[in-house]
Amino acid sequence: MPEPFIRVSGLRKVYRKREQEFLAISDASFEVAPGELVSLVGPSGCGKTTLLKVLAGLQDYDAGEVRIGSASHSFDPSRDIGMVFQQALLLKWRRVLENVLLPAEILGLPMRESRERARDLLAMVGLSGSEDKYPYELSGGMQQRAAIARALVHDPKLILMDEPFGALDALTREKMNLELLRIWKQSGKTILFVTHGISEAVFLGTRVIVFTAGPARMAANIPIKLPEPRRLDVKTTEMFGDYSRQIYHLLGME
Ligand code: ADP
Ligand code: MG
Protein backbone atom coordinates (compact mmCIF):
# COMPACT_ATOMS: atom_id res chain seq x y z
CA MET A 1 0.00 0.00 0.00
CA PRO A 2 1.37 3.47 -0.86
CA GLU A 3 1.80 5.95 1.96
CA PRO A 4 -1.71 6.44 3.42
CA PHE A 5 -3.47 9.69 2.66
CA ILE A 6 -5.73 9.47 5.71
CA ARG A 7 -4.74 7.86 8.98
CA VAL A 8 -7.28 7.56 11.78
CA SER A 9 -6.24 5.70 14.92
CA GLY A 10 -8.10 5.13 18.15
CA LEU A 11 -10.58 7.89 17.39
CA ARG A 12 -13.12 8.56 20.10
CA LYS A 13 -15.81 11.21 20.16
CA VAL A 14 -18.20 11.86 23.01
CA TYR A 15 -20.95 14.47 22.81
CA ARG A 16 -21.73 16.08 26.15
CA LYS A 17 -24.90 17.87 27.05
CA ARG A 18 -25.20 18.99 30.66
CA GLU A 19 -24.86 15.79 32.73
CA GLN A 20 -25.40 13.49 29.73
CA GLU A 21 -22.66 11.86 27.68
CA PHE A 22 -23.23 10.28 24.33
CA LEU A 23 -20.57 8.09 22.75
CA ALA A 24 -20.69 8.87 19.02
CA ILE A 25 -17.48 7.10 17.93
CA SER A 26 -15.45 4.64 19.96
CA ASP A 27 -12.01 3.49 18.88
CA ALA A 28 -12.18 3.86 15.10
CA SER A 29 -8.94 3.08 13.26
CA PHE A 30 -8.43 2.90 9.51
CA GLU A 31 -6.28 4.17 6.67
CA VAL A 32 -7.18 5.42 3.22
CA ALA A 33 -4.69 5.33 0.34
CA PRO A 34 -4.51 8.21 -2.14
CA GLY A 35 -7.09 7.79 -4.90
CA GLU A 36 -9.25 5.26 -3.05
CA LEU A 37 -13.03 5.40 -2.87
CA VAL A 38 -13.90 4.10 0.58
CA SER A 39 -17.52 3.51 1.60
CA LEU A 40 -18.60 3.98 5.17
CA VAL A 41 -21.81 2.19 5.99
CA GLY A 42 -23.88 1.91 9.15
CA PRO A 43 -27.32 2.59 10.64
CA SER A 44 -28.41 6.12 11.36
CA GLY A 45 -26.91 7.46 14.57
CA CYS A 46 -23.72 5.36 14.36
CA GLY A 47 -21.44 8.37 13.97
CA LYS A 48 -20.91 8.61 10.20
CA THR A 49 -21.54 12.33 9.92
CA THR A 50 -19.52 12.92 13.08
CA LEU A 51 -16.57 11.13 11.49
CA LEU A 52 -16.79 13.26 8.34
CA LYS A 53 -16.94 16.42 10.47
CA VAL A 54 -13.85 15.32 12.37
CA LEU A 55 -12.01 14.69 9.10
CA ALA A 56 -13.11 18.09 7.78
CA GLY A 57 -11.75 19.75 10.91
CA LEU A 58 -15.26 20.95 11.85
CA GLN A 59 -15.54 18.86 14.99
CA ASP A 60 -13.12 18.23 17.86
CA TYR A 61 -12.65 14.76 19.35
CA ASP A 62 -11.76 13.22 22.68
CA ALA A 63 -9.01 10.72 21.95
CA GLY A 64 -6.99 9.24 19.12
CA GLU A 65 -5.24 10.66 16.15
CA VAL A 66 -6.37 11.92 12.75
CA ARG A 67 -3.83 12.69 10.08
CA ILE A 68 -4.48 13.70 6.49
CA GLY A 69 -1.76 14.30 3.91
CA SER A 70 1.89 13.72 4.64
CA ALA A 71 5.02 15.59 5.67
CA SER A 72 5.77 16.27 2.00
CA HIS A 73 2.17 17.16 1.09
CA SER A 74 0.64 19.37 3.74
CA PHE A 75 -3.15 19.41 4.01
CA ASP A 76 -5.37 22.42 4.64
CA PRO A 77 -8.99 21.34 5.28
CA SER A 78 -10.53 24.60 4.07
CA ARG A 79 -8.65 24.36 0.78
CA ASP A 80 -8.25 20.63 0.25
CA ILE A 81 -11.70 19.23 1.04
CA GLY A 82 -14.83 19.21 -1.08
CA MET A 83 -18.10 18.19 0.54
CA VAL A 84 -21.36 16.82 -0.85
CA PHE A 85 -24.41 16.43 1.39
CA GLN A 86 -27.75 14.64 1.18
CA GLN A 87 -29.38 17.82 -0.08
CA ALA A 88 -27.68 19.63 -2.97
CA LEU A 89 -27.92 22.95 -1.05
CA LEU A 90 -27.69 25.07 -4.17
CA LEU A 91 -28.40 28.78 -3.72
CA LYS A 92 -31.69 29.22 -5.48
CA TRP A 93 -31.02 32.78 -6.64
CA ARG A 94 -27.78 31.80 -8.38
CA ARG A 95 -27.46 30.13 -11.74
CA VAL A 96 -25.84 26.68 -11.91
CA LEU A 97 -22.43 27.97 -13.02
CA GLU A 98 -22.44 30.61 -10.25
CA ASN A 99 -23.35 27.94 -7.71
CA VAL A 100 -20.45 25.75 -8.83
CA LEU A 101 -18.11 28.74 -8.53
CA LEU A 102 -18.99 29.45 -4.90
CA PRO A 103 -16.02 27.66 -3.22
CA ALA A 104 -13.61 29.36 -5.65
CA GLU A 105 -15.12 32.73 -4.71
CA ILE A 106 -14.90 32.02 -1.00
CA LEU A 107 -11.26 30.94 -1.31
CA GLY A 108 -10.42 33.94 -3.47
CA LEU A 109 -9.16 31.88 -6.40
CA PRO A 110 -8.59 33.54 -9.80
CA MET A 111 -12.05 33.82 -11.33
CA ARG A 112 -11.21 33.45 -15.02
CA GLU A 113 -9.53 30.08 -14.57
CA SER A 114 -12.15 28.96 -12.05
CA ARG A 115 -14.92 29.78 -14.51
CA GLU A 116 -13.19 27.63 -17.16
CA ARG A 117 -12.78 24.84 -14.64
CA ALA A 118 -16.42 25.10 -13.54
CA ARG A 119 -17.54 24.74 -17.16
CA ASP A 120 -15.29 21.69 -17.65
CA LEU A 121 -16.61 20.13 -14.44
CA LEU A 122 -20.22 20.75 -15.47
CA ALA A 123 -19.42 18.95 -18.72
CA MET A 124 -17.83 16.11 -16.76
CA VAL A 125 -20.94 15.65 -14.61
CA GLY A 126 -23.15 15.76 -17.70
CA LEU A 127 -24.58 19.26 -17.23
CA SER A 128 -23.27 21.03 -20.32
CA GLY A 129 -25.97 23.43 -21.45
CA SER A 130 -27.34 23.91 -17.93
CA GLU A 131 -24.77 26.52 -16.84
CA ASP A 132 -27.26 29.38 -16.96
CA LYS A 133 -30.23 27.57 -15.49
CA TYR A 134 -31.54 28.14 -11.99
CA PRO A 135 -31.62 25.22 -9.52
CA TYR A 136 -35.42 24.90 -9.72
CA GLU A 137 -35.05 24.08 -13.42
CA LEU A 138 -33.00 20.95 -12.60
CA SER A 139 -34.18 17.50 -11.47
CA GLY A 140 -32.96 16.13 -8.13
CA GLY A 141 -30.26 14.06 -9.82
CA MET A 142 -29.07 17.06 -11.85
CA GLN A 143 -28.91 19.20 -8.70
CA GLN A 144 -26.74 16.57 -7.04
CA ARG A 145 -24.47 16.53 -10.11
CA ALA A 146 -24.10 20.30 -9.79
CA ALA A 147 -23.25 19.83 -6.11
CA ILE A 148 -20.53 17.34 -7.09
CA ALA A 149 -19.10 19.81 -9.61
CA ARG A 150 -19.13 22.48 -6.87
CA ALA A 151 -17.24 20.13 -4.52
CA LEU A 152 -14.52 19.74 -7.18
CA VAL A 153 -14.15 23.33 -8.38
CA HIS A 154 -11.29 24.30 -6.08
CA ASP A 155 -9.47 21.07 -6.98
CA PRO A 156 -9.52 19.60 -3.45
CA LYS A 157 -7.51 16.50 -2.63
CA LEU A 158 -10.31 14.83 -0.69
CA ILE A 159 -14.05 14.57 -1.32
CA LEU A 160 -16.32 13.80 1.63
CA MET A 161 -19.81 12.65 0.63
CA ASP A 162 -22.52 12.33 3.28
CA GLU A 163 -25.39 10.20 1.93
CA PRO A 164 -25.36 12.26 -1.27
CA PHE A 165 -27.91 10.15 -3.13
CA GLY A 166 -30.17 9.38 -0.16
CA ALA A 167 -32.93 11.70 -1.33
CA LEU A 168 -33.07 10.37 -4.89
CA ASP A 169 -35.41 7.70 -6.26
CA ALA A 170 -33.91 4.20 -6.63
CA LEU A 171 -33.27 4.32 -10.39
CA THR A 172 -31.74 7.80 -10.35
CA ARG A 173 -29.61 6.70 -7.45
CA GLU A 174 -28.20 3.73 -9.38
CA LYS A 175 -27.51 5.99 -12.33
CA MET A 176 -25.70 8.43 -10.04
CA ASN A 177 -23.65 5.55 -8.61
CA LEU A 178 -22.36 4.79 -12.11
CA GLU A 179 -21.74 8.49 -12.73
CA LEU A 180 -19.81 8.81 -9.49
CA LEU A 181 -17.54 5.90 -10.43
CA ARG A 182 -16.88 7.55 -13.77
CA ILE A 183 -16.14 10.93 -12.16
CA TRP A 184 -13.91 9.26 -9.58
CA LYS A 185 -11.88 7.44 -12.27
CA GLN A 186 -11.61 10.60 -14.33
CA SER A 187 -10.65 12.93 -11.48
CA GLY A 188 -8.42 10.54 -9.52
CA LYS A 189 -9.66 12.03 -6.23
CA THR A 190 -9.71 10.30 -2.87
CA ILE A 191 -13.35 9.88 -1.84
CA LEU A 192 -14.98 8.93 1.44
CA PHE A 193 -18.58 7.98 0.73
CA VAL A 194 -21.05 7.71 3.61
CA THR A 195 -24.26 5.76 3.11
CA HIS A 196 -26.71 3.59 4.99
CA GLY A 197 -27.27 1.53 1.84
CA ILE A 198 -25.36 -1.74 1.98
CA SER A 199 -25.69 -2.44 -1.73
CA GLU A 200 -24.54 1.09 -2.61
CA ALA A 201 -21.55 0.78 -0.27
CA VAL A 202 -20.40 -2.51 -1.81
CA PHE A 203 -21.01 -1.39 -5.39
CA LEU A 204 -18.97 1.82 -5.03
CA GLY A 205 -16.20 1.02 -2.60
CA THR A 206 -12.68 -0.23 -3.06
CA ARG A 207 -13.25 -0.91 0.63
CA VAL A 208 -16.23 -0.81 2.94
CA ILE A 209 -15.86 0.32 6.53
CA VAL A 210 -18.76 -0.86 8.66
CA PHE A 211 -19.95 1.07 11.71
CA THR A 212 -22.47 -0.35 14.16
CA ALA A 213 -24.63 1.63 16.57
CA GLY A 214 -25.39 1.35 20.27
CA PRO A 215 -22.60 1.82 21.19
CA ALA A 216 -21.12 3.29 18.03
CA ARG A 217 -18.03 1.43 16.97
CA MET A 218 -16.15 0.39 13.88
CA ALA A 219 -16.97 -3.26 13.20
CA ALA A 220 -15.07 -4.09 10.01
CA ASN A 221 -12.91 -2.88 7.15
CA ILE A 222 -13.56 -5.04 4.09
CA PRO A 223 -11.61 -4.82 0.81
CA ILE A 224 -14.02 -5.21 -2.11
CA LYS A 225 -12.57 -7.18 -5.00
CA LEU A 226 -15.38 -7.02 -7.54
CA PRO A 227 -14.51 -7.10 -11.26
CA GLU A 228 -13.61 -3.70 -12.76
CA PRO A 229 -15.03 -1.62 -14.28
CA ARG A 230 -18.06 -2.07 -12.08
CA ARG A 231 -21.36 -2.53 -13.86
CA LEU A 232 -24.80 -2.67 -12.30
CA ASP A 233 -25.25 -6.34 -13.21
CA VAL A 234 -22.43 -7.20 -10.79
CA LYS A 235 -25.15 -6.88 -8.14
CA THR A 236 -26.63 -10.17 -9.32
CA THR A 237 -23.37 -12.10 -8.78
CA GLU A 238 -22.61 -14.48 -5.94
CA MET A 239 -19.59 -12.43 -4.92
CA PHE A 240 -21.69 -9.30 -4.50
CA GLY A 241 -24.23 -11.29 -2.50
CA ASP A 242 -21.46 -12.63 -0.24
CA TYR A 243 -20.15 -9.14 0.54
CA SER A 244 -23.66 -7.87 1.23
CA ARG A 245 -24.47 -10.83 3.49
CA GLN A 246 -21.25 -10.30 5.43
CA ILE A 247 -22.26 -6.69 6.13
CA TYR A 248 -25.88 -7.53 7.00
CA HIS A 249 -24.47 -10.05 9.44
CA LEU A 250 -22.12 -7.48 11.02
CA LEU A 251 -25.08 -5.12 11.41
CA GLY A 252 -27.13 -7.89 13.03
CA MET A 253 -29.69 -7.79 10.26
CA GLU A 254 -29.81 -11.26 8.75
P1 ADP B 1 -25.04 9.31 11.54
O1 ADP B 1 -24.53 10.31 10.59
O2 ADP B 1 -24.37 7.97 11.42
O3 ADP B 1 -26.53 9.16 11.49
P2 ADP B 1 -24.21 11.21 13.56
O4 ADP B 1 -22.74 11.30 13.45
O5 ADP B 1 -25.00 12.30 12.98
O6 ADP B 1 -24.70 9.78 13.04
O7 ADP B 1 -24.61 11.11 15.10
C1 ADP B 1 -24.09 10.11 15.96
C2 ADP B 1 -24.79 10.23 17.31
O8 ADP B 1 -24.35 11.41 17.97
C3 ADP B 1 -26.30 10.34 17.17
O9 ADP B 1 -26.90 9.56 18.15
C4 ADP B 1 -26.59 11.80 17.37
O10 ADP B 1 -27.83 11.98 18.03
C5 ADP B 1 -25.44 12.26 18.25
N1 ADP B 1 -25.06 13.65 17.92
C6 ADP B 1 -24.71 14.11 16.70
N2 ADP B 1 -24.40 15.42 16.75
C7 ADP B 1 -24.56 15.79 18.04
C8 ADP B 1 -24.40 17.03 18.74
N3 ADP B 1 -23.97 18.13 18.11
N4 ADP B 1 -24.69 17.03 20.08
C9 ADP B 1 -25.10 15.92 20.71
N5 ADP B 1 -25.26 14.73 20.11
C10 ADP B 1 -25.00 14.65 18.78
MG1 MG C 1 -25.47 11.40 9.13
Side-chain angles (χ1 to χ4, degrees), residues 150-197:
R150 182 183 56 194
L152 289 164
V153 77
H154 54 300
D155 200 21
K157 299 188 177 97
L158 173 64
I159 313 292
L160 301 176
M161 305 184 89
D162 196 356
E163 310 201 24
F165 309 137
L168 303 176
D169 66 85
L171 285 177
T172 308
R173 184 172 182 163
E174 294 206 306
K175 223 169 124 186
M176 289 302 294
N177 283 179
L178 286 172
E179 283 294 300
L180 178 64
L181 287 178
R182 190 180 60 74
I183 292 164
W184 171 56
K185 291 261 153 73
Q186 205 172 327
S187 67
K189 298 292 180 196
T190 308
I191 299 180
L192 222 69
F193 185 94
V194 161
T195 178
H196 55 247

Side-chain angles (χ1 to χ4, degrees), residues 10 31 48 51 67 77 117 125 141-142 167 177 185 195 212 234 240 245:
E31 295 183 346
K48 304 183 296 296
L51 178 68
R67 275 196 283 172
R117 192 173 156 77
V125 300
M142 289 164 89
N177 283 179
K185 291 261 153 73
T195 178
T212 54
V234 78
F240 192 92
R245 252 189 306 282

